[in-house]
Structure formats: C-alpha cells, structure tokens
Amino acid sequence: MKPRYLFPKDYMADPSANVFNDRVYIYPSHDWDSGECFDDDGGHFQMKDYHVLSLDDVMDGEVTDHGVILDVADVPWAEKQMWDNDVVEKDGKYYLVFSAKDYNGVFRLGVAVADRPEGPFKPQGDPIRGSYSIDPCVFKDDDGQIYCYFGGIWGGQLQWYKDNKALKCEHLPEGKEDPLPSRVARMTDDVMQFAEMPRPVLIVDGNGKPLPADDPHRFFEASWMHKYKGKYYFSYSTGDTHYLCYAVGDNPYGPFTYGGVILEPVVGWTTHHSIVEYKGRWYLFHHDCVPSNDTTWLRSVKVMPLSYDEEGRILTMKSE
Ligand code: FUB
C-alpha cells in the first residue's frame, strides 16, 4: 500500500500519533518559511504554534485540522522554536509535553493541559524542572505509569549535558566512544514533573555492547516508545545518517537491543516518526520533504502501514 500524505494544505512535521476515544490524533510541529538560513543547529526551524489533526480511517479518512492548540506567545517561559511534542491522557485530561527554547536560548520541555484531545491546551508557567533538550515522547504503560523519553543531538543540545548537568563545553562522542543516549524519566502522578532523575536509554548490540558513536544506527533524536506483544520497542532517528531505527527491551528503561532499520532514507535532512496501532493494524507516521522540493524546513506528514514478522521484527520499509 502506498504511503499517504495526510495534510497537503500545510507543512507539518514530527507527527506524534495517539489513539484517543477511538480516533487517531496527530500532534505535529508546524513548519513555515521564516526566512532564517539553514544551519547545523536547526535555526531554520522557527515554529511558533501547534495544530492537531484527527481522522477515523488512517489510509482513506478525511483529516480534520482542529486549528491552533498552543501558541508560543501564550507560554510564559518559552521564546521560540516549538519543536516536537506528544500528548498523553490520564484520568480524562490530556497532557501535551513539548520542547521550545527559553529566553536564554536553552531548549526545555513544558507541559500544557486540556480537557479534550483537540485542546485548547493551557500551558504551565514554568518548564519541567530539570528538563533539557528536545523531542519528548510520553508513553503510558499498561500499569498506568507514564514515562517521558527525550533528547536530540546538535541543535537539540544534548551534547551540552552529562549526568543531567549542563557542561561548560559541549562534547560530541566520536569513533568507538559510547554515543549520547536518549533519556527517560517516569512522570509524577499529576504528569507535570519528572518523578526521578532522567536515565540514559542504552542501545546495545546482540552481545550487550552499546552501539558506538560512529555506528550509523546510533541514536540522534526523535525518541518513540510503543509496546508490541509485551515487548518495549524504542524507536528513533539517526539524524545525520538519515534512518529510522528500533531496538527492543523488556521494560521501559531498557537496555534495548538493536533491531534494525524501519525506513530507508527519506527526502529531507530529518527523519521523525511515531508508531501506533489502530483498529487492529499498525501504522508508521513520519514526514519528508518531497512536496516542498527538498526544502529541509518545509516538511509534510505521511503515513503507511507497518508490519512485523513472526519473531516480532519490524519489516523495513522503503520511502517513496
Ligand atoms: O522539527 C524540528 C526538529 O527536526 C525535531 O525536533 C527533530 O526531531 C527534527 O525532526
């Protein structure tokens, strides 16, 4: 089945798909042409607000755009660059966790709350204490515990942190050094803060050895977590090597054993995705830059069915 571009009317990226009340809600970043030049720190991604899209038939259904659900002008602590976000439901409330730069140019994660999945979302006055970097994924486990996975290298600033402390000088591991890991923290019961210090998300090979920094399949950004047949699938973008990959673990903290490539290189610098089950089928949501003729900062959200083999391996897909 051919992939489907979901919203040709506008440029959107980083789609976080969730099923709420038997409907699929997609929370993307909202790309636009700000006029900023391309740079390795993502200065060309100057997003100012979030929309939510929804549908009830993934490959054919009409897509509803519910309009702006949060504007950076309404977030007291955030100045600019509203990058990836994700939403989790708890006790009938919806918690949008998002990344944006504060007035010191530092990426933080914030929370905004709504009574309905389509918002509007009311932001908290301050970012999550001890949060840093970008690309939150909020995952609710079967026991109701909520975990936040986050982090991104280069423009996402992860290389400025070690053991949850800011460094004086950035450090980007090279060669056979251990790579910079994504982070995971359990959220408090009110879903407003980290309940613990973030822990590194370890991706290991079949012998239990961490993938080294020069492995083209090491973590870069865009964490996502889903559960399939009782196993925890941590998936992510490899950034500058342009893959979406996954690794499998027995619990939400890992370690996760590298599983393979989900999607071969896509058009555009970034790859970012989410994986969700709806009406008994699994789907990969992601973005590329085909409709904008390979303009890195003008991305379009896509969806395609995703399959597993008998051993639970995700079958690699070719993007078109
Ligand atoms: O959309 C801005 C950034 O580009 C995201 O945070 C990254 O994951 C990449 O898609």
Side-chain angles (χ1 to χ4, degrees):
M1 194 178 283
K2 278 182 88 66
R4 175 186 183 195
Y5 282 104
L6 283 168
F7 199 59
K9 279 191 229 149
D10 204 350
Y11 294 112
M12 299 202 182
D14 310 330
S16 299
N18 288 283
V19 178
F20 298 129
N21 311 324
D22 295 327
R23 204 170 160 81
V24 179
Y25 287 86
I26 303 152
Y27 299 89
S29 310
H30 187 190
D31 284 357
W32 67 293
D33 202 344
S34 68
E36 292 284 333
C37 296
F38 178 94
D39 66 50
D40 279 348
D41 284 337
H44 43 284
F45 294 128
Q46 290 291 334
M47 296 80 106
K48 301 180 292 189
D49 59 26
Y50 296 124
H51 284 229
V52 59
L53 309 174
S54 75
L55 70 175
D56 63 8
D57 179 330
V58 174
M59 297 311 290
D60 291 311
E62 190 185 337
V63 176
T64 304
D65 173 16
H66 297 274
V68 174
I69 54 166
L70 185 65
D71 194 304
V72 72
D74 298 324
V75 183
W77 61 266
E79 184 190 12
K80 59 183 180 180
Q81 290 182 285
M82 292 184 98
W83 287 12
D84 172 53
N85 72 83
D86 189 21
V87 172
V88 68
E89 180 273 341
K90 184 173 183 194
D91 300 332
K93 295 244 182 248
Y94 297 84
Y95 299 86
L96 180 137
V97 181
F98 61 99
S99 36
K101 269 189 185 158
D102 68 13
Y103 284 86
N104 294 315
V106 177
F107 269 115
R108 305 267 177 219
L109 306 182
V111 183
V113 190
D115 293 324
R116 300 180 311 164
E118 62 268 38
F121 285 85
K122 194 171 176 324
Q124 298 297 295
D126 294 300
I128 295 173
R129 279 191 295 281
S131 69
Y132 52 92
S133 198
I134 57 165
D135 286 359
C137 159
V138 269
F139 163 76
K140 182 154 82 168
D141 205 349
D142 299 334
D143 62 2
Q145 296 287 351
I146 294 170
Y147 299 86
C148 180
Y149 297 81
F150 65 95
I153 302 174
W154 294 17
Q157 303 179 339
L158 201 56
Q159 67 277 13
W160 285 95
Y161 296 87
K162 188 168 173 16
D163 301 331
N164 299 313
K165 293 196 192 84
L167 300 170
K168 288 210 174 81
C169 299
E170 61 182 330
H171 176 67
L172 259 177
E174 287 176 1
K176 299 301 168 207
E177 280 186 83
D178 285 344
L180 288 170
S182 171
R183 310 289 202 262
V184 56
R186 191 168 49 79
M187 299 295 287
T188 51
D189 286 343
D190 62 4
V191 203
M192 293 293 168
Q193 303 291 340
F194 294 154
E196 59 188 355
M197 296 298 275
R199 311 178 191 193
V201 175
L202 216 57
I203 300 170
V204 297
D205 64 17
N207 298 317
K209 276 188 63 184
L211 301 192
D214 63 1
D215 190 311
H217 305 113
R218 57 87 174 93
F219 169 80
F220 188 99
E221 62 186 4
S223 304
W224 187 258
M225 172 57 64
H226 76 278
K227 227 170 157 176
Y228 177 74
K229 294 195 172 169
K231 294 277 186 195
Y232 294 78
Y233 284 64
F234 175 74
S235 47
Y236 56 96
S237 163
T238 64
D240 55 347
T241 54
H242 312 293
Y243 294 113
L244 286 178
C245 295
Y246 75 99
V248 184
D250 293 324
N251 68 76
Y253 294 111
F256 298 93
T257 304
Y258 179 72
V261 172
I262 301 171
L263 186 70
E264 295 289 355
V266 296
V267 177
W269 202 96
T270 62
T271 54
H272 194 124
H273 74 299
S274 56
I275 296 171
V276 79
E277 186 184 22
Y278 184 58
K279 295 183 178 170
R281 288 204 73 169
W282 285 91
Y283 296 96
L284 173 75
F285 291 78
H286 67 110
H287 67 231
D288 70 23
C289 293
V290 174
S292 69
N293 295 320
D294 208 359
T295 309
T296 299
W297 53 91
L298 296 178
R299 300 161 294 176
S300 296
V301 289
K302 290 175 85 171
V303 64
M304 59 172 90
L306 172 145
S307 307
Y308 304 84
D309 70 10
E310 303 248 302
E311 273 78 52
R313 285 184 293 250
I314 295 178
L315 303 183
T316 306
M317 285 169 277
K318 292 264 179 232
S319 55
E320 298 174 28

